[in-house]
């Protein structure tokens, strides 16, 4: 049958592609949290009624976040090709794909952080202020500890989204399961590889979701 190869040949391809996907998602998740967490905190504290009102900063950062969230990821992949080449020297491969994946995901995570902080009891903030606490004390002693379960749930949701983004990165040769599905499954009409990549992606999402839910329950139990 045309396009059909043995599972012995398919398995190494899927294993390599899975490792590339894990690399992309892991690195992108790290950078997404490093960018999105402080961005979400700044969005929250810089409101007009926030603990450190900075309307101009809030408006500018909010505008950037909204623009990032409004662009379809496939469009963002193509639009960021020159920037990706400038950052890593190439637009192909797993490392290059981390750049647009991170830029596409961190605005989403920043809003999750902002919403999580919004749910923190205002009394906690006022208690820190009454004891002479600074903005840094409010962030470190009240906001982040109280919002941690919600933030971890947001990280879980973001990682699931990153898995989807990493698959779409295959459109521009980003490597991973998405690239394998396009080059072998779609272009060569190989249903075995297409089915294999779908199964692995579903398993990855289920694993991430289960671990995330366990972490949230553990954090909520310790409070």
């Amino acid at each position: 049958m045309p396009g059909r190869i043995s599972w012995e040949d398919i398995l190494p391809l899927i294993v390599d592609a899975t490792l590339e996907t894990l690399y992309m998602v892991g690195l992108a998740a790290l950078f997404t949290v490093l960018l999105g967490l402080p961005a979400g905190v700044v969005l929250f504290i810089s409101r007009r009624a926030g603990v450190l009102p900075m309307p101009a900063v809030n408006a500018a950062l909010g505008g950037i976040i909204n623009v990032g969230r409004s662009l379809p990821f496939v469009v963002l992949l193509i639009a960021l090709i020159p920037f990706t080449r400038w950052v890593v020297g190439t637009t192909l491969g797993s490392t290059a794909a981390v750049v647009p994946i991170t830029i596409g995901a961190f605005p989403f995570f920043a809003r999750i952080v902002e919403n999580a902080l919004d749910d923190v009891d205002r009394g906690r903030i006022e208690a820190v202020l009454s004891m002479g606490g600074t903005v840094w004390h409010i962030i470190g002693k009240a906001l982040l500890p109280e919002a941690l379960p919600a933030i971890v749930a947001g990280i879980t949701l973001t990682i699931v989204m990153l898995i989807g983004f990493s698959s779409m990165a295959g459109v521009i040769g980003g490597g991973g399961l998405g690239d394998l599905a396009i080059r072998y499954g779609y272009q060569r009409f190989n249903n075995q590889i297409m089915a294999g990549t779908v199964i692995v992606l579903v398993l990855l999402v289920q694993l991430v979701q289960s671990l995330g839910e366990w972490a949230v329950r553990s954090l909520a139990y310790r409070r």
Side-chain angles (χ1 to χ4, degrees):
M1 182 178 178
R4 186 178 181 84
I5 57 178
S6 67
W7 283 106
E8 288 77 11
D9 295 326
I10 291 173
L11 188 59
L13 293 174
I14 292 180
V15 170
D16 289 342
T18 301
L19 292 176
E20 288 181 355
T21 294
L22 292 174
Y23 168 76
M24 281 189 289
V25 171
L27 206 55
L30 174 63
F31 290 135
T32 296
V33 172
L34 290 177
L35 291 173
L37 183 61
V41 171
V42 172
L43 282 170
F44 179 77
I45 66 173
S46 63
R47 297 172 176 177
R48 292 187 182 274
V51 295
L52 188 64
M54 294 182 291
V57 172
N58 187 276
L61 182 58
I64 294 172
I65 296 297
N66 289 339
V67 169
R69 292 183 64 194
S70 65
L71 292 175
F73 183 64
V74 173
V75 174
L76 192 65
L77 274 174
I78 299 171
L80 288 175
I81 285 177
F83 179 72
T84 301
R85 185 181 293 114
W86 177 75
V87 172
V88 297
T90 181
T91 59
L92 300 176
S94 302
T95 301
V98 171
V99 176
I101 291 174
T102 301
I103 293 175
F106 99 86
F108 173 79
F109 181 64
R111 288 298 186 189
I112 287 180
V113 172
E114 182 188 18
N115 291 335
L117 298 178
D118 223 1
D119 291 334
V120 174
D121 185 1
R122 185 72 187 181
R124 299 277 185 175
I125 299 174
E126 293 173 353
V128 175
L129 287 173
S130 67
M131 292 185 289
T134 65
V135 173
W136 292 110
H137 289 132
I138 292 171
I139 295 171
K141 301 294 184 180
L143 293 177
L144 292 181
E146 288 297 313
L148 188 56
I151 291 174
V152 171
I155 291 175
T156 302
L157 184 61
T158 302
I159 292 176
V160 170
M161 184 179 70
L162 289 174
I163 293 173
F165 280 3
S166 71
S167 300
M168 284 187 278
V171 172
I172 60 169
L177 291 166
D179 185 53
L180 180 66
I182 291 172
R183 287 192 297 115
Y184 286 86
Y186 176 69
Q187 294 178 350
R188 302 186 186 183
F189 306 101
N190 192 305
N191 293 329
Q192 292 169 280
I193 287 185
M194 186 65 76
T197 55
V198 169
I199 290 171
V200 173
L201 286 170
V202 170
L203 291 175
L204 284 177
V205 169
Q206 292 297 324
L207 178 61
V208 169
Q209 192 66 47
S210 297
L211 290 174
E213 291 174 355
W214 171 81
V216 171
R217 286 195 302 268
S218 299
L219 290 170
Y221 177 76
R222 293 176 184 177
R223 293 175 64 185

